[in-house]
Amino acid sequence: MDAICIALITLLTPLVSATIIALFLRKQGTLAAAISTLAAAVVAAGALTLAFTGAHFGVDKPASVEWLRLGNFTLSLGFKFDDLAALMISIVGVVGLCVHVFSLGYMHDDASKARYFGGLSIFMFSMLGIVLADNLFMIFIFWELVGFSSYVLINHYHEKMSASDASKKAFIVNRVGDFGFLLGIVLCYWANGTVNLNELGAGHNVYSTLIPLLLFCGAVGKSAQMPLQVWLPDAMEGPTPVSALIHAATMVAAGIYMLCRIDVLMVPDALTVIMWVGTITAFYASLCAITQSDIKKVLAYSTLSQLGYMVAAFGLGSLDHLDESTKTLITISAGVGAAMFHLTTHAFFKALLFLGSGSVIHGCHHEQDIFKMGGLSKKMPFTFVTFTIGVFAICGLPFLSGFYSKDAILHLAQEKNMAVFAILALTAVLTAFYMFRMWKLVFFGETRSHEAAHAHEGGLSMTAPLFVLAALAVIGGYTEEGHNIYQNLFAGVWSQIPHAEGAEPFIMSLVILIVGAGAAWMLYKPAATDTLEDKVPSLFGFLAVVKASPDWIYDWYVAKVQQRFAMLLKFIEDMLLSGLIIRGLSGVVGLIGIGARALHVGNLHAYVYWFLFGTALLWAYAAGWLF
């Protein structure tokens, strides 16, 4: 079968699934779940087939059709499939299938299961559209569809006010970033006459700082970078498998993928801004995670921090690399390579952690407070082992996937900017600290609630995805010899990854792990209260303020600035538009009507007088006596 046909089938299958569920299966949750999961399996098979066969199209072999023409403007829908797209579509396919299978058990008794799986299918379709798009307008169309499907899935438990508020918050905040993104696309088209990725990649572009920064606004919203990071922690109100798929592995990673797609438009000043936004977000989120008691909120802030790592890596830019075979210096897109490498490993171990937390929540009868858990290593041994692999992977234990990708980013930062390197290294210490805090409180000590005392493992549909993702969290990076385990797959991305030589990366990672994890292990005791809050309340309070400050600022802005400005506009509208213009003109018209009505008195003699008066006026005008 032709590669483009496989890509079309891969893209359209989840759309067909969502359509069937929406039209015919809204009351048949079990059948809807089966169809959606089958569609996810087709997506995974199609994605891996395209990747493993090395199919490339969209550069030498354009694959697009004209969809809309307005004058000289043409909007086309087409595919660009290269190593970057092959890597991303493989992640979406594999993680998406794992989440679907896990959801079969997790959402088994949910009354709105059909709507849930329909939402998953429309999300898969939207995300695949972003990955395969060959131009920025097409990316934007599917970008908005991803926002819509995210809104639907976050709002799954819509009867809860917190879920309803969280979905609206996510939708509104993302629209702020998307407005800048759309402006960037329009400006790019105006400056270059095209937004086709192949044509932009051919060079001869108009380079400016404004265009990439406006396009970066889209990534700031979708990948939850400061100052638009406030929606992601609240989005944990959605079902836990949704958090694994959308808010850990795919949707939030779309911003990173988009940045790598537009790398050809970047200029040094824009990259500097992007680098610092990512760095500040990574550090800020790691501080916020320390005080969280909800297991999903800890992982949410961890996701924010890791996304900051990826954005910072991209912003660090290119690197001169010595080619040992030719002994010449070559410039590689190290930022793209490091960002996509960490995106890949993060998708595996963070999806594992979220699904692991889902297993814990399900086993504890939907209890999410880590201070009400404890002792689960004995109650849920399989979840404990796989979750532990995820914890050590994100903390950068040598020979696990997270070690290699974090090392690539830290090495790049060390080469390019020591201040960024110091902040990211400190962030890595904090990551180990809050992850081990959560790990110890959840799995060790005695059970601290009735729910934890009666915890149990889920069925095969919930444990099998954990096994697959745990395996990928182990081998998803490089082997210890530094050879690419993916062989020749994704070579266009992997060849850009920077490497540190010798034992330095291992020593640095072990030091970071020992300092961060050791501090958490010694400080926290499995208890019903937060040890840090008990022993150092001032520090805990400060961290709580740091976490809450952005929401306070936004609340103040909405109440004191935006709302008052809206009230001013309403006053102007009431007085000027509705009052003076509309009511004023209606009053004039009314007076004219009253006057005209007064002329119709029903008296023939009066009408004769008016006729004669009008005749005289007409004669005077014709004779030139008037006007």
Side-chain angles (χ1 to χ4, degrees):
M1 186 183 294
D2 181 73
I4 295 178
C5 290
I6 297 175
L8 272 172
I9 292 172
T10 303
L11 173 64
L12 296 178
T13 297
L15 177 61
V16 172
S17 168
T19 303
I20 293 173
I21 293 171
L23 294 179
F24 308 110
L25 303 177
R26 285 179 290 179
K27 301 295 185 181
Q28 302 180 50
T30 302
L31 184 56
I35 291 176
S36 182
T37 304
L38 178 61
V42 172
V43 169
L48 294 176
T49 298
L50 290 170
F52 276 88
T53 56
H56 282 193
F57 48 89
V59 181
D60 300 324
K61 187 168 109 177
S64 64
V65 294
E66 183 179 309
W67 185 52
L68 180 67
R69 178 179 289 274
L70 296 172
N72 295 326
F73 171 74
T74 300
L75 177 58
S76 297
L77 300 179
F79 292 161
K80 177 180 174 63
F81 194 81
D82 52 10
D83 283 341
L84 184 63
L87 175 60
M88 192 67 188
I89 200 174
S90 299
I91 296 170
V92 174
V94 171
V95 176
L97 179 57
C98 288
V99 168
H100 273 79
V101 174
F102 186 88
S103 298
L104 293 175
Y106 191 86
M107 304 295 290
H108 181 266
D109 298 324
D110 193 279
S112 302
K113 186 162 57 173
R115 173 161 52 84
Y116 169 83
F117 278 96
L120 286 186
S121 288
I122 196 66
F123 171 78
M124 292 286 284
F125 165 70
S126 307
M127 191 67 206
L128 291 170
I130 292 177
V131 176
L132 293 171
D134 73 340
N135 66 83
L136 291 177
F137 279 120
M138 182 176 171
I139 287 178
F140 185 77
I141 292 170
F142 284 97
W143 194 271
E144 294 305 300
L145 281 174
V146 163
F148 162 74
S149 55
S150 172
Y151 170 83
V152 170
L153 290 168
I154 296 171
N155 197 32
H156 180 73
Y157 302 122
H158 57 85
E159 65 279 1
K160 292 171 54 181
M161 182 59 70
S162 56
S164 179
D165 291 343
S167 62
K168 288 186 288 186
K169 187 176 185 179
F171 190 83
I172 293 169
V173 171
N174 272 273
R175 298 295 74 74
V176 174
D178 292 352
F179 179 69
F181 186 30
L182 181 59
L183 288 179
I185 294 173
V186 172
L187 186 57
C188 180
Y189 182 84
W190 178 77
N192 296 296
T194 183
V195 289
N196 183 277
L197 297 172
N198 297 324
E199 294 173 4
L200 291 174
H204 310 294
N205 301 318
V206 175
Y207 293 99
S208 74
T209 303
L210 183 59
I211 292 175
L213 287 181
L214 284 173
L215 294 174
F216 176 56
C217 289
V220 170
K222 200 70 79 193
S223 294
Q225 298 298 287
M226 293 187 75
L228 300 182
Q229 83 291 350
V230 292
W231 69 269
L232 183 59
D234 289 7
M236 297 302 107
E237 289 291 337
T240 304
V242 169
S243 303
L245 178 64
I246 294 183
H247 308 124
T250 53
M251 188 190 95
V252 292
I256 313 300
Y257 176 79
M258 184 271 291
L259 287 177
C260 294
R261 270 292 186 225
I262 62 169
D263 181 51
V264 294
L265 296 174
M266 290 296 160
V267 296
D269 288 345
L271 286 173
T272 300
V273 172
I274 293 170
M275 174 189 70
W276 280 111
V277 168
T279 302
I280 293 169
T281 302
F283 181 66
Y284 164 80
S286 66
L287 292 176
C288 295
I290 295 173
T291 60
Q292 298 304 304
S293 59
D294 187 316
I295 187 171
K296 288 176 64 178
K297 289 288 184 72
V298 177
L299 295 176
Y301 280 107
S302 171
T303 299
L304 278 177
S305 185
Q306 299 306 304
L307 289 168
Y309 254 89
M310 299 173 209
V311 171
F314 177 83
L316 287 166
S318 60
L319 186 67
D320 291 331
H321 174 69
L322 180 64
D323 189 336
E324 296 294 341
S325 59
T326 61
K327 300 298 181 183
T328 58
L329 280 175
I330 57 174
T331 300
I332 62 173
S333 299
V336 172
M340 285 304 299
F341 189 23
H342 197 52
L343 184 155
T344 304
T345 61
H346 177 264
F348 298 146
F349 61 67
K350 186 54 66 67
L352 170 63
L353 288 168
F354 264 112
L355 292 186
S357 72
S359 179
V360 168
I361 293 169
H362 184 268
C364 292
H365 309 282
H366 297 282
E367 177 58 66
Q368 297 184 198
D369 190 338
I370 59 178
F371 294 101
K372 295 181 181 179
M373 296 179 182
L376 297 186
S377 60
K378 298 176 182 178
K379 301 283 185 179
M380 308 178 67
F382 186 83
T383 299
F384 168 66
V385 172
T386 54
F387 198 91
T388 300
I389 291 173
V391 169
F392 278 97
I394 194 175
C395 293
L397 181 70
F399 310 120
L400 297 183
S401 61
F403 160 73
Y404 297 104
S405 57
K406 271 194 174 183
D407 169 62
I409 295 175
L410 291 174
H411 172 66
L412 179 59
Q414 196 172 20
E415 293 287 327
K416 300 282 291 185
N417 192 306
M418 285 302 296
V420 171
F421 168 76
I423 295 173
L424 293 181
L426 177 57
T427 301
V429 173
L430 294 175
T431 300
F433 179 84
Y434 65 70
M435 289 304 297
F436 264 75
R437 164 187 179 264
M438 177 184 66
W439 182 61
K440 184 175 183 181
L441 290 171
V442 170
F443 291 103
F444 294 93
E446 300 298 324
T447 57
R448 296 185 294 276
S449 68
H450 174 78
E451 290 78 9
H454 293 83
H456 56 86
E457 292 281 13
L460 181 62
S461 64
M462 295 179 66
T463 53
L466 296 180
F467 175 80
V468 172
L469 291 170
L472 291 171
V474 173
I475 65 173
Y478 285 161
T479 61
E480 62 268 27
E481 291 84 12
H483 299 301
N484 189 344
I485 69 164
Y486 299 96
Q487 302 302 321
N488 295 323
L489 295 179
F490 324 125
V493 179
W494 297 145
S495 62
Q496 308 293 335
I497 299 172
H499 302 290
E501 304 295 335
E504 180 184 351
F506 295 92
I507 296 173
M508 180 170 61
S509 292
L510 286 174
V511 170
I512 288 172
L513 183 60
I514 291 171
V515 172
W521 192 264
M522 289 187 295
L523 175 63
Y524 286 96
K525 307 297 181 185
T529 57
D530 194 306
T531 308
L532 181 63
E533 184 177 14
D534 294 338
K535 292 187 174 181
V536 194
S538 57
L539 177 59
F540 186 90
F542 170 75
L543 294 175
V545 169
V546 168
K547 178 264 176 187
S549 293
D551 281 310
W552 291 345
I553 293 171
Y554 279 122
D555 289 342
W556 177 87
Y557 167 78
V558 169
K560 302 299 184 181
V561 180
Q562 180 175 295
Q563 190 63 23
R564 291 184 179 183
F565 181 66
M567 292 171 64
L568 174 63
L569 291 179
K570 184 179 185 302
F571 174 78
I572 294 173
E573 191 267 342
D574 288 342
M575 294 297 296
L576 183 62
L577 188 61
S578 298
L580 182 61
I581 296 178
I582 296 177
R583 293 178 184 173
L585 289 176
S586 68
V588 172
V589 172
L591 288 174
I592 293 173
I594 291 172
R597 187 170 65 247
L599 300 178
H600 296 78
V601 295
N603 188 311
L604 180 62
H605 295 86
Y607 293 157
V608 170
Y609 285 124
W610 281 116
F611 173 77
L612 292 175
F613 179 72
T615 302
L617 285 178
L618 178 63
W619 177 77
Y621 176 76
W625 293 358
L626 295 177
F627 311 111

